[in-house]
Amino acid sequence: MDVLEYGYVSLNKKGEELCGDKVEMIPAADGGATLVLADGMGSGVKANILSTLTSKILCTMAAANVPLEECIDTIAGSLPVCRQRGVAYSTFSLFTVSPDGTGYLAEFDNPPAVLLRNGKAMPLERAERIHGGKKLYVSKVSMQRGDLVLLMSDGVVHAGIGETLNFGWDIKEIREFAEIQYDSSLSARTMASIMANACYELYGHRPGDDTTVLAIKYRAPLVVNMMIGPPSSPESDSLVVQEFMAHEGKRVVCGGTSSQVVARELHTEVRTSFDYPDKDVPPIGYIDGIDLTCEGVLTLKRLLTVAEKYVSVSDPDIKLFKGQDGASKLAQILLVEASEVRLFVGRGVNLAHEGLGIDNKTKLDAVVTLIRILKSLNKKVEIKYY
């Protein structure tokens, strides 16, 4: 069954420490999800409180299948009232989707969502409802493999006003830009970062409003099996490699000693590259039947550095891994391509690390951090120690 992936980027209004937009996501046990993008009135602390309450309440209730009207009534009765304006106000986009890709989208005063199918914007039939004197638009959605939905706050359509554009970025131009930028290989997070980065540029790096883009993609699953380090007992080498190779999906071997173990058990050899695309990352190797072979601890450390930047929701840079070094290739496989990661972690001592200040704790700490990052990306993670 296909899987859902999602990611977002938020830009704070210039001069504000807190973002007035808030994204809340609740994955379902069956593989579906409920997502909310809320935009609080104004900016700063007040807007942050309004959007946080709205997104949390709405997402929690919708995930529990509470009727939409009841969700809205609860929000209206829960938000603090602004003394100056006398109202409590937060716009929102609510998207709930099942594992088979079917669901609904409810939009209240946010810019209309964009659905991309095969790289082209598809119209969403928006049924108008009136609730509490306000207009609400509801669309039925049936996602197909490769479909991508973009939800956005009004900071996106305001991008460029008074800077690079006279009247901002209208929804027609946003759709056209998304079509141009779309590529089936891009993750939801990367697509969100491309759209947010465009807003950042239009604002001249000084956003005039809180700006958020949330992307949801329906994609084929991919399991990645990753072996890190040799087993604690050499007698276990054969069994561990057999289990590692028995699983479907891509295979990655991380570490010089573990690479030698895998090559030996597969009756082949490690062919080492002497290219240094990045002088700070050791070169990769090649083993027949293995998709990526790379050095261990140093490559993992660089991976974690680029991974933290990738998962950051406030970084306006486009989240792409174009490098040919081991860490960039590893990031592409684990952070972008994988939907599920199986880790085979060996606890054997690597004698080559003696005197270098690298021990098993360093490796295991890196693994723990990697698991945290993968789970934050809603990827399923399994781990076995040997």
Side-chain angles (χ1 to χ4, degrees), residues 97-268:
V97 60
S98 301
D100 63 359
T102 59
Y104 73 87
L105 170 67
E107 298 171 292
F108 173 60
D109 272 8
N110 268 352
V114 175
L115 167 62
L116 294 177
R117 177 167 294 162
N118 298 320
K120 298 298 180 183
M122 300 291 293
L124 284 167
E125 294 186 9
R126 305 169 80 220
E128 182 181 306
R129 296 187 192 176
I130 303 296
H131 186 75
K134 297 184 182 296
K135 290 182 180 180
L136 180 72
Y137 294 93
V138 180
S139 307
K140 290 184 178 179
V141 179
S142 183
M143 298 184 77
Q144 300 177 11
R145 176 177 291 185
D147 280 4
L148 187 134
V149 174
L150 296 171
L151 308 181
M152 62 199 89
S153 65
D154 62 6
V156 176
V157 294
H158 293 161
I161 292 179
E163 294 283 349
T164 55
L165 300 173
N166 290 330
F167 302 106
W169 205 19
D170 68 35
I171 195 65
K172 180 177 180 291
E173 293 170 326
I174 292 169
R175 290 193 187 105
E176 291 173 349
F177 180 81
E179 287 179 341
I180 292 170
Q181 297 299 318
Y182 175 84
D183 186 283
S184 59
S185 65
L186 299 178
S187 69
R189 186 169 297 264
T190 299
M191 195 64 188
S193 72
I194 289 173
M195 301 302 293
N197 179 267
C199 296
Y200 190 62
E201 294 297 329
L202 288 171
Y203 275 124
H205 299 183
R206 291 170 52 82
D209 193 4
D210 298 306
T211 303
T212 299
V213 180
L214 166 62
I216 304 103
K217 185 177 182 180
Y218 195 55
R219 49 157 287 191
L222 175 66
V223 178
V224 173
N225 305 283
M226 181 174 174
M227 183 173 175
I228 307 173
S232 57
S233 171
E235 288 76 18
S236 302
D237 288 356
S238 179
L239 289 175
V240 173
V241 173
Q242 284 181 28
E243 183 177 357
F244 173 66
M245 297 298 296
H247 290 285
E248 63 177 6
K250 284 195 171 184
R251 299 182 182 89
V252 174
V253 179
C254 189
T257 303
S258 48
S259 300
Q260 294 294 335
V261 168
V262 170
R264 185 185 69 241
E265 295 300 326
L266 296 181
H267 306 291
T268 185

Side-chain angles (χ1 to χ4, degrees), residues 3 219-224 248-250 333 336-341:
V3 296
R219 49 157 287 191
L222 175 66
V223 178
V224 173
E248 63 177 6
K250 284 195 171 184
I333 291 176
V336 176
E337 298 177 10
S339 61
E340 178 180 347
V341 179

Side-chain angles (χ1 to χ4, degrees), residues 15-89:
E16 297 288 356
E17 293 185 9
L18 294 175
C19 187
D21 300 338
K22 184 69 175 180
V23 171
E24 187 74 23
M25 299 177 277
I26 299 180
D30 62 3
T34 301
L35 306 99
V36 174
L37 191 169
D39 180 357
M41 180 169 54
S43 60
V45 175
K46 290 181 180 179
N48 180 267
I49 292 172
L50 291 169
S51 62
T52 298
L53 285 171
T54 298
S55 59
K56 190 69 176 179
I57 294 170
L58 187 58
C59 198
T60 301
M61 295 182 72
N65 297 315
V66 176
L68 183 58
E69 287 77 6
E70 187 176 334
C71 296
I72 296 171
D73 288 339
T74 302
I75 293 169
S78 303
L79 296 185
V81 175
C82 175
R83 291 181 181 178
Q84 295 175 333
R85 297 178 176 89
V87 294
Y89 191 82

